[in-house]
Amino acid sequence: MKIEGDTLEAMALDNYRPHIYVNDTANNQVVVIDRLRNTVLAKWPITLGKKNVAMALDEFRQRLFVGCRSGQIVVLDSNTGKQLQALPIASGIDDLTYDPVTRRIYAAANGVIDVFEQTDLDHYVSRGSTQTGTNGRTAKLVPQLNRLFVAVPSNGRQSARVLLYEPINTPEPKLPQPIQKSRSTLREPKKLSSKPSHPIRSFAEWDCMSFRPGANT
């Protein structure tokens, strides 16, 4: 199907309802698609930030997080599109991740990882930020391993590399379980009794020049 917009960025698939949310960056809005009927249901303007490029979704609590390169995570009600608030982050975001178990949001911007924690439905607390590297704004959270991977491009004499971080004061990671025939029920995660002074710690750094395809190890 065709969406009117010169620049379409991140999207989120809602498994609770037949919706796809798409960042229409050119028009600074979110397009809501009915994936069963292949039709556009709504267009939600983003006014609390500019250049919406990143996106994450809390399906269970019906909150849509939109990362804007102007330096905000705009929180929307995923049912109505109402903008609820804007969380301040570093400018130049590229990746945004929400972990429903720990209720943490990880925003990868220009050399910074900003972390927020969802304390209840509409309240979020900053858990600090971590410096990564120049233009390091591509990140991938692997909840099963409790690891956050951040790609940092080459800069001058510094070769490209992948940084590995470990989120701290989080529940023990759970490895994927075999698919059961019976349907499971989502449960609210337990609140953590202790709060970290820093949300993630550096775990490893891999020089990409050492991991070239076909290189001898």
Side-chain angles (χ1 to χ4, degrees), residues 27-39:
N27 295 308
N28 223 80
Q29 64 184 5
V30 171
V31 179
V32 185
I33 298 172
D34 185 324
R35 67 176 186 269
L36 299 182
R37 297 182 175 87
N38 289 331
T39 58

Side-chain angles (χ1 to χ4, degrees), residues 125-156:
V125 176
S126 173
R127 293 303 176 200
S129 61
T130 297
Q131 299 291 325
T132 56
T134 303
N135 294 325
R137 57 187 187 186
T138 300
K140 175 66 176 179
L141 177 70
V142 182
Q144 296 88 345
L145 302 177
N146 194 38
R147 296 293 185 269
L148 179 69
F149 297 83
V150 180
V152 179
S154 60
N155 181 36

